[in-house]
Amino acid sequence: MNMQQKFLQLFKPLLQPFTAIILALLAGAVAISVVGEPILSTYMELWSGAFGSFYFITATLARATPIIIVGLGVALAFRAGVFNLGAEGQMVLGAVSAALAALYVPGPGLVKIMAALLAGVIAGGLWSLLAGWMETKFKVQLLISTLLLNYVAVLFASYLVAEPFQDKSGSAALAQSQMIDQSAWFVKLFQGMSLHVGFIIAICIALIMYFIFKATSIGYEVKMLGLNPFFASYGGINKAKLLLYSMFISGGLAGLAGTVEVLGTQYRFVDGALTGPGFAWTGIMATLLANSHPIGTVVTGIFLAALETGAMGLERNTEVPLEIAAVIKSVLILFISAKFTFKWWKSRKKVRDSHGAV
């Protein structure tokens, strides 16, 4: 294989997300023209709000960090043919567990950080594993159970910081935990900027997952289970065991995303601070756009974060409303829906043709 073929093979998974992004930007251009603003200067302002200075770049990457980690966890589940839509609940439960661990585990800052990371991953993983266990034991569909368990996790976390673990030191009496000790905060990559070491963790996870999917037997088993579970079972792959492992790791990564936000940005658990920005659902969108490719998920995660940070500056400096980002996201969702509908139609057609063949 020559260098050109290797180059094309490496960037082929990125073709689909780039196509979707271009279509979404074209739809956004239509919306901008309806508002009556110049398209090119508006998009330049959007770009400037996301990448126009070093400060804006770091802010965009900081916002992309939890989106990427959630997306990587969902990518693993989707690769295994597992529909984990419970990332929001897993993320919130991981975040509140991490905050409480950092608050109450004794020891120096490094010990608190390790305890928080462990608590966040385990809490998110076990919550996801619960849905996987119900699937294998009682045939409760993951699509339904993971979605409904989101509400339980979010409301339970809200109760924890509104009642037993609420920070009552302030006069506002907000639903939030106490602030964790500064020794347990993530290190900032650049002084005075919001980007922290969590972004490095996200990139490392993406590279590890890419290697696992590309060059290991476990990655092959996950891929086979997702493509054809019957063939995977025939080949000796333990479907139930792999499903449970995939759910635990997927939920663990979602919990890690919440932990990273607590240790790197908020320094406490604040009720609604993770659900409001929609980190989990944006992460799911990122991995669907990237077709569950780890490197593609990083690219789409940064793009979606840039849409959000850029739109904030756009609304401040122009007459274009913040909702332009929602318009572009909506087109991306339509693109994803069309892709899955086309795949479903092709599979049905293939089944009909095979039944009709002599």
Side-chain angles (χ1 to χ4, degrees), residues 6-298:
K6 288 182 179 180
F7 181 82
L8 291 174
Q9 187 179 19
L10 179 64
F11 284 93
K12 186 178 179 182
L14 302 178
L15 180 62
Q16 179 178 296
F18 279 134
T19 304
I21 288 169
I22 290 170
L23 291 175
L25 291 176
L26 289 174
V30 174
I32 292 168
S33 64
V34 170
V35 176
E37 292 291 318
I39 295 171
L40 185 58
S41 61
T42 299
Y43 273 138
M44 287 178 65
E45 192 68 44
L46 185 70
W47 172 269
S48 178
F51 302 109
S53 69
F54 189 67
Y55 173 82
F56 290 140
I57 291 172
T58 55
T60 297
L61 295 181
R63 190 175 184 88
T65 298
I67 294 172
I68 292 169
I69 298 176
V70 168
L72 292 172
V74 176
L76 173 65
F78 286 174
R79 282 251 181 165
V82 177
F83 293 98
N84 180 14
L85 296 183
E88 184 173 67
Q90 295 148 19
M91 184 183 190
V92 168
L93 211 56
V96 72
S97 301
L100 295 178
L103 281 170
Y104 296 108
V105 170
L110 183 60
V111 172
K112 289 179 175 290
I113 289 175
M114 296 306 295
L117 290 170
L118 194 62
V121 170
I122 291 175
L126 289 179
W127 195 246
S128 179
L129 189 63
L130 173 62
W133 176 76
M134 289 192 295
E135 162 77 21
T136 56
K137 187 72 174 178
F138 303 109
K139 303 300 180 185
V140 179
Q141 290 188 5
L142 283 171
L143 192 67
I144 304 300
S145 61
T146 54
L147 196 60
L148 294 180
L149 284 172
N150 281 331
Y151 297 99
V152 181
V154 171
L155 292 173
F156 178 65
S158 298
Y159 163 75
L160 289 178
V161 294
E163 293 293 339
F165 299 105
Q166 184 185 19
D167 179 15
K168 300 183 184 296
S169 59
S171 58
L174 299 174
Q176 60 185 19
S177 70
Q178 295 177 14
M179 183 170 287
I180 63 178
D181 191 80
Q182 192 168 354
S183 63
W185 295 5
F186 270 170
V187 176
K188 299 295 184 183
L189 296 183
F190 306 98
Q191 189 174 6
M193 304 296 175
S194 57
L195 187 62
H196 51 78
V197 74
F199 181 73
I200 304 297
I201 294 174
I203 298 301
C204 289
I205 294 171
L207 294 175
I208 291 169
M209 284 183 60
Y210 177 77
F211 173 76
I212 289 173
F213 290 149
K214 195 76 174 175
T216 67
S217 58
I218 296 174
Y220 175 77
E221 289 181 1
V222 169
K223 182 179 179 180
M224 283 300 99
L225 181 62
L227 290 175
N228 194 326
F230 298 106
F231 177 79
S233 299
Y234 182 77
I237 296 173
N238 189 326
K239 179 182 175 182
K241 184 178 178 181
L242 196 57
L243 182 146
L244 293 175
Y245 279 140
S246 299
M247 285 297 291
F248 179 80
I249 297 172
S250 176
L253 287 176
L256 177 63
T259 303
V260 161
E261 269 299 285
V262 166
L263 298 181
T265 302
Q266 299 169 8
Y267 312 123
R268 65 170 82 208
F269 179 82
V270 182
D271 186 27
L274 297 177
T275 54
F279 290 128
W281 296 108
T282 307
I284 292 173
M285 187 190 301
T287 197
L288 286 173
L289 268 176
N291 203 24
S292 301
H293 190 281
I295 307 302
T297 300
V298 173

